Amino acid sequence: MSESWVELRSDTFTLPCAAMRASMAAAAVGDDVFNEDPTVHELEALAAQMTGKAAGLFVPSGCMANLIAQMVYVRRGDEVLVGHESHIVLYEVGAGAAIAGVQYQVVPGDGRITSEQVESRIKAGTFHTPGTGLVWVENSHNQAGGRLTGMREMEAIGAVCRKHRVSFHLDGARAFNAAVALGVPLKELAAAVDSLSFCLSKGLGAPVGSVLCGSEAFRTAALRFRKMLGGGMRQAGIIAAAGVYALRHNVDRLAEDHAHARILADRLAAFPGIELDPAAIETNIVIARLPGRDAREWEHRAGERGVRLLALDKERVRFVTHLGVDRKGIERALSVLEGVNRDVS
Ligand SMILES: *Cc1c(COP(=O)(O)O)cnc(C)c1O
């Protein structure tokens, strides 16, 4: 993170620290397409252990993890049942449709879904109609403002899926944020689903990669699709080492990012003309509404004064806290934003 910026656009802007880089330089490597990279094995075993699943598969990105999961579970033409404005629907260039051949049944709401909604929408395929091939939860949910689906709801959705024999997958790009905020180890959250992915390259601070975790059979099927999509990597231990470092050092500290998001939200909510419910801030994402004003102008003015935020649309701005922003950075952002809020009416 450059000293001159307070970077709040996304937790994807986190940079590897010196110790993480040292672990990358020192990593033992081999050809992972031949299944011979010891550091990739170490990362996959650690991810499996932390999620309580039988196996992990290192993949280049969260988007590829999501696409692979859909390819593994869903017959072409069948449906993925998914919450409003989920990442697979909004931000993956239609890969589910273009490549996996799925269609989405989008559940209305803020992005989170309930077991009742799943129960009423899940359906068996017939000669005429697509069936539900997969139930999909994003937790925490990005567009909902980092909101959480709690343990009880995850378990209830899992029970509905088992009853109907439909697979249940967690897009856990920020699953560690969710687990830390819910106060449970990730393996408890993951116990409700058949499989999940999490991003190493967001709040965990690694430069590249995600891990898909599930049963051995899931991994075997996923491995074939990873190769098909061009995601087989050779001496990938160089980047897997950063993931191992991230899992060992950067999970518990996510609580700090959540505390920073809360401070930001509490104070922003008191600014005139801003709509924001601080009680809805559960993790590291803060979305504020600026009714009647131009979010892009806000983004621009804040940027000129060294605070980077993201205009999501005409009236909404997003702030994401992460290990590259400390308490001082939050204070600096708030004083700049106070001025921006005064100037851009
Ligand atoms: C970032 C993100 C992804 C995709 O991750 P990439 O590594 O950027 O491909 C998937 N799902 C959610 C919810 C995300 O926030």
Side-chain angles (χ1 to χ4, degrees):
M1 216 65 42
S2 153
E3 278 300 314
S4 57
W5 293 102
V6 182
E7 179 58 80
L8 293 166
R9 283 176 296 172
S10 177
D11 45 11
T12 57
F13 287 93
T14 47
L15 296 175
C17 65
M20 181 182 278
R21 283 178 180 261
S23 77
M24 296 170 76
V29 296
D31 186 331
D32 185 54
V33 176
F34 279 78
N35 197 24
E36 287 180 18
D37 189 300
T39 308
V40 172
H41 291 165
E42 185 187 358
L43 172 63
E44 291 178 345
L46 182 58
Q49 182 213 320
M50 292 175 85
T51 58
K53 297 300 182 196
L57 180 69
F58 185 41
V59 295
S61 70
C63 286
M64 191 185 285
N66 283 349
L67 178 56
I68 289 172
Q70 294 171 83
M71 292 171 89
V72 167
Y73 290 120
V74 191
R75 190 170 59 168
R76 296 182 69 80
D78 275 352
E79 287 182 355
V80 178
L81 197 55
V82 58
H84 180 65
E85 295 199 327
S86 292
H87 199 279
I88 50 168
V89 179
L90 282 189
Y91 294 130
E92 300 184 10
V93 212
I99 304 169
V102 309
Q103 56 181 349
Y104 296 117
Q105 187 187 161
V106 177
V107 179
D110 70 357
R112 295 173 296 174
I113 63 178
T114 66
S115 58
E116 289 80 15
Q117 289 175 312
V118 173
E119 178 69 71
S120 69
R121 284 172 173 79
I122 222 165
K123 62 191 190 208
T126 68
F127 181 72
H128 299 286
T129 62
T132 306
L134 183 61
V135 172
W136 191 275
V137 163
E138 185 179 311
N139 197 13
S140 67
H141 196 285
N142 181 358
Q143 284 293 302
R147 295 221 66 170
L148 298 169
T149 301
M151 280 298 306
R152 241 193 315 174
E153 198 62 60
M154 290 293 291
E155 282 162 5
I157 296 169
V160 172
C161 291
R162 279 191 302 280
K163 181 175 134 196
H164 293 278
R165 297 175 194 282
V166 171
S167 299
F168 183 19
H169 181 82
L170 166 62
D171 176 357
R174 298 186 180 83
F176 279 104
N177 292 86
V180 165
L182 290 167
V184 297
L186 180 53
K187 67 170 75 165
E188 279 186 36
L189 202 61
V193 297
D194 297 302
S195 54
L196 72 154
S197 66
F198 62 83
C199 281
L200 295 160
S201 58
K202 291 185 172 160
L204 295 180
V208 188
S210 283
V211 188
L212 264 171
C213 297
S215 67
E216 285 291 352
F218 174 80
R219 186 187 187 280
T220 301
L223 180 63
R224 181 166 174 275
F225 288 125
R226 186 185 73 176
K227 174 74 177 173
M228 190 185 283
L229 295 172
M233 299 180 285
R234 301 297 178 175
Q235 284 70 35
I238 299 281
I239 50 176
V244 171
Y245 183 95
L247 291 177
R248 296 230 162 95
H249 297 92
N250 291 346
V251 172
D252 292 340
R253 64 152 307 288
L254 293 170
E256 249 177 79
D257 302 339
H258 301 167
H260 288 157
R262 176 150 298 283
I263 293 168
L264 197 60
D266 283 343
R267 304 255 295 275
L268 276 174
F271 288 8
I274 292 191
E275 266 178 27
L276 166 62
D277 176 10
I281 306 308
E282 297 180 301
T283 57
N284 68 325
I285 300 177
V286 177
I287 296 177
R289 191 173 287 281
L290 315 166
R293 295 190 291 168
D294 184 355
R296 289 191 178 87
E297 180 71 12
W298 248 67
E299 178 189 278
H300 179 70
R301 294 288 186 96
E304 282 179 338
R305 298 177 208 181
V307 175
R308 287 179 160 166
L309 56 90
L310 201 67
L312 289 181
D313 51 38
K314 251 183 72 190
E315 286 193 340
R316 287 188 310 159
V317 288
R318 188 184 76 166
F319 310 86
V320 185
T321 57
H322 53 75
L323 54 74
V325 180
D326 59 10
R327 179 64 199 268
K328 256 175 43 199
I330 296 294
E331 291 302 330
R332 189 171 145 213
L334 279 162
S335 80
V336 165
L337 294 169
E338 198 167 19
V340 170
N341 192 49
R342 227 181 296 114
D343 299 348
V344 186
S345 49

